[in-house]
Amino acid sequence: MVFIDTHFHAGDFIPDMRIYTAEAAEASVNTLILCAGDYADSERAAQYASENPSIFFAAGVHPHEADAMTESFDEFRMFADRTRFAAVGEIGLDFYYDTSGRTAQQRVFEGFLNLALELGVPALIHCRDKEHSTLAYDLSLAMLSDFRRAGGAYLLHCFAGTEEYAEKFLENGALFGVGGMLTFKMAENIRQTIAAIPLDRLVLETDAPYLAPVPYRGKPNHSRYIPLIAQRLAEIKGITLEQCAAQTTENAREFFHLPEGEHHG
């Protein structure tokens, strides 16, 4: 069995990336997509990918950081020349915290979607709304529909939307990232939504260091916990862990254009 963690972050919680990836590999998580939140984070992700054959990276500006973005999209375009550049992200809209102004969020999101189209790489999408509001989902769906029509591919990271929105995004060609929330006791709504999404449209992710699955909830997450998420997904889908690993890994390889049959130890 081989697993792919399609979304994790680097930070102070990883003192040594070589040890981190070795620990992940012991759990059969042999490929990891390192996602960035701003320019400095993108630079750090690119550096880690250049030093570690298990890591591919994504460059982008998280919606929380949209107001603080001073770099041009031209500067981000340069990451396409770096080793193992795989995607643009993490980008999108966050109207739950509203850390950055909504106009800035939309401007940055649109700019990065255009960059992903230009570079021919997929986009990793963050979408979060306030309770009893669907504005972030509606705006994201409209922008991503245009992106999809123009030939773009995208992944809704850590999807926690309703079945209704899952259906809308499915019709629009989305892939969905499944993480530790699937194991949370109170997350029955997420399990119901994921149950309704075909397995060939799902990939596994940790969002480490956030959202560690049960029994590690409340502690720093780690890519080596991917099999725990996969096991829960397999139970929901009524399939074996091996089947879950095979399909989600194939989905991720195809989406990120990863080398076929690449195994890292």
Side-chain angles (χ1 to χ4, degrees), residues 219-241:
K219 297 174 181 168
N221 203 353
H222 193 299
S223 297
R224 67 183 173 206
Y225 300 153
I226 280 281
L228 294 171
I229 299 163
Q231 183 60 56
R232 195 70 184 89
L233 179 58
E235 289 164 10
I236 290 167
K237 292 296 186 184
I239 58 176
T240 65
L241 180 60

Side-chain angles (χ1 to χ4, degrees), residues 7 38 44 54 77 79 90 100 147 166 186 188 226 229 237-238 248 257:
H7 197 115
D38 59 23
R44 186 164 50 242
S54 298
R77 187 179 286 109
F79 286 110
E90 174 179 354
S100 287
F147 177 66
M186 302 302 287
E188 192 54 42
I226 280 281
I229 299 163
K237 292 296 186 184
T248 55
H257 309 299

Side-chain angles (χ1 to χ4, degrees), residues 39 57 73-82 115 119:
Y39 186 83
F57 81 99
F73 292 107
D74 281 339
E75 288 171 82
F76 277 91
R77 187 179 286 109
M78 299 299 126
F79 286 110
D81 299 327
R82 305 289 282 275
L115 186 61
L119 298 177

